[in-house]
Amino acid sequence: NGIEIGNLISSYERINQASCPFSDEKIINCLETGGYIKKIYLFSSGVFLLPDDGMETILITLKKQMNSKSEKTGYHKMSQSGASKIFKIPLLAVPQDVRKNKICSVKTQNIVNPRRIWFQIVEENGTDVAEVLLKDMNAFYTSSARDEYQLTDFEDVSVTDILVAPYARQGYFRVIVLEQVDADFRVRYIDYGDTGVIRKDQLLRLKEEFYKIPVQAIQGCVLSMEDLQDDLSPSALKQFHQVRHLSGVFYHNFDDKDPHWPVYPIKMELIEPSTQRTMRDILQDFI
């Protein structure tokens, strides 16, 4: 009915890295009561637009209004009427020791833009959850069992769908559909943060057991690099990836009422534990 919410939902997906669990009606009500929208008239149609400076605030507001978890599944859920969806991929919780000490071992994935990097938590026992998931998914999607998970010509692919897609020759990964690009689809690899354009015939449905692992990629803003306007050069990336062990130090007051990582890039520093060099120190000769 003339309500422009597509951009809002797409932004929610990009920031939160999970399907938007809110109905159109709930989004509009939240926008109206929060005072974040204004009504303008283009030709004869009424269109609601969200001011740029309100985007982050409204995304946080929407997340806080998320329905409680289902006792049976542990998933956040909405009713299935209208545009509502089952929010099947759990959000990643902040470990208690990280809340207390604000530091942990991390593994960086996408650091081209230090103001919005993507990283993963390395568990105390050294377990890399994303790598275990990747191993299990590759074992399944390279077997004959994958045939029943291939999309048919008659199945639609929609923005926010959670599916499986290949990445180069590295295997099969969980993705969220961000937008359609002609006959293809732009997706984000939700456990690593990278994006790519995929043909429909490359997409597969996600097996139920692979829905149960929380999204592994977390967004961060590296404070020592915050003033850098350009993306990192290939030589800078090569230099940084030579660092084998990294700690993430978080400059964030975690909300006791919200167990999950924030929907926006968390303020942090990347430090090499053995030398205490920051990301800026490591890359000083390349920036």
Side-chain angles (χ1 to χ4, degrees):
N1 297 327
I3 305 299
E4 188 82 19
I5 63 172
N7 289 338
L8 173 66
I9 292 176
S10 295
S11 295
Y12 182 97
E13 308 299 343
R14 287 194 296 270
I15 291 178
N16 200 37
Q17 290 309 289
S19 297
C20 182
F22 311 107
S23 66
D24 291 9
E25 180 180 4
K26 185 165 186 177
I27 291 174
I28 296 304
N29 287 340
C30 185
L31 290 171
E32 289 180 323
T33 57
Y36 298 115
I37 59 174
K38 58 183 178 180
K39 188 174 184 180
I40 64 173
Y41 287 90
L42 298 177
F43 304 101
S44 59
S45 301
V47 179
F48 284 96
L49 296 179
L50 181 68
D52 291 339
D53 58 0
M55 179 63 76
E56 182 174 294
T57 303
I58 193 60
L59 290 172
I60 296 170
T61 303
L62 284 170
K63 183 179 180 224
K64 289 181 177 179
Q65 290 191 3
M66 184 181 299
N67 284 22
S68 60
K69 288 184 178 179
S70 161
E71 293 181 1
K72 181 178 180 181
T73 65
Y75 299 144
H76 298 278
K77 68 176 185 178
M78 298 282 292
S79 66
Q80 297 188 56
S81 60
S84 301
K85 300 177 181 179
I86 299 297
F87 188 55
K88 300 191 73 173
I89 303 287
L91 295 175
L92 186 64
V94 182
Q96 287 300 319
D97 61 321
V98 176
R99 286 178 172 275
K100 178 181 178 181
N101 302 319
K102 299 187 177 182
I103 186 172
C104 66
S105 295
V106 298
K107 183 177 180 180
T108 56
Q109 295 299 337
N110 187 330
I111 60 168
V112 174
N113 177 358
R115 298 176 303 283
R116 188 180 289 270
I117 70 165
W118 298 86
F119 67 95
Q120 299 162 344
I121 298 297
V122 178
E123 297 186 357
E124 289 186 359
N125 61 6
T127 300
D128 188 327
V129 176
E131 289 301 314
V132 173
L133 174 63
L134 175 61
K135 180 180 179 180
D136 291 343
M137 287 184 62
N138 279 332
F140 179 79
Y141 285 103
T142 55
S143 72
S144 59
R146 62 168 275 171
D147 293 345
E148 64 179 288
Y149 288 84
Q150 290 191 329
L151 298 178
T152 68
D153 294 338
F154 303 102
E155 288 183 89
D156 292 330
V157 174
S158 302
V159 172
T160 75
D161 281 351
I162 302 292
L163 297 166
V164 174
Y167 183 83
R169 297 184 178 180
Q170 297 182 31
Y172 291 90
F173 301 81
R174 301 189 299 181
V175 299
I176 185 170
V177 178
L178 299 179
E179 63 177 334
Q180 185 165 354
V181 183
D182 298 324
D184 301 326
F185 297 91
R186 184 177 301 280
V187 301
R188 184 177 295 281
Y189 296 84
I190 63 175
D191 299 306
Y192 294 86
D194 301 90
T195 60
V197 176
I198 297 294
R199 303 189 313 270
K200 182 181 177 181
D201 63 7
Q202 294 178 291
L203 294 169
L204 301 108
R205 290 189 298 275
L206 186 63
K207 189 180 181 184
E208 186 66 29
E209 69 178 84
F210 299 134
Y211 276 107
K212 299 177 182 179
I213 307 298
V215 173
Q216 295 299 302
I218 308 166
Q219 294 184 84
C221 174
V222 182
L223 292 182
S224 66
M225 305 288 285
E226 198 172 16
D227 62 334
L228 189 69
Q229 298 302 312
D230 299 324
D231 290 344
L232 294 180
S233 65
S235 57
L237 293 172
K238 182 178 179 180
Q239 172 71 15
F240 193 75
H241 285 310
Q242 291 178 4
V243 179
R244 296 301 181 185
H245 301 286
L246 287 168
S247 291
V249 178
F250 305 107
Y251 301 94
H252 179 80
N253 293 320
F254 293 103
D255 186 350
D256 291 336
K257 297 180 180 179
D258 186 352
H260 307 113
W261 289 92
V263 298
Y264 48 84
I266 187 170
K267 300 290 186 182
M268 64 182 299
E269 187 55 67
L270 290 174
I271 294 177
E272 183 181 32
S274 61
T275 64
Q276 291 299 297
R277 292 186 300 169
T278 66
M279 185 178 191
R280 184 103 188 187
D281 296 333
I282 296 169
L283 297 180
Q284 189 59 51
D285 294 337
F286 297 86
I287 56 178

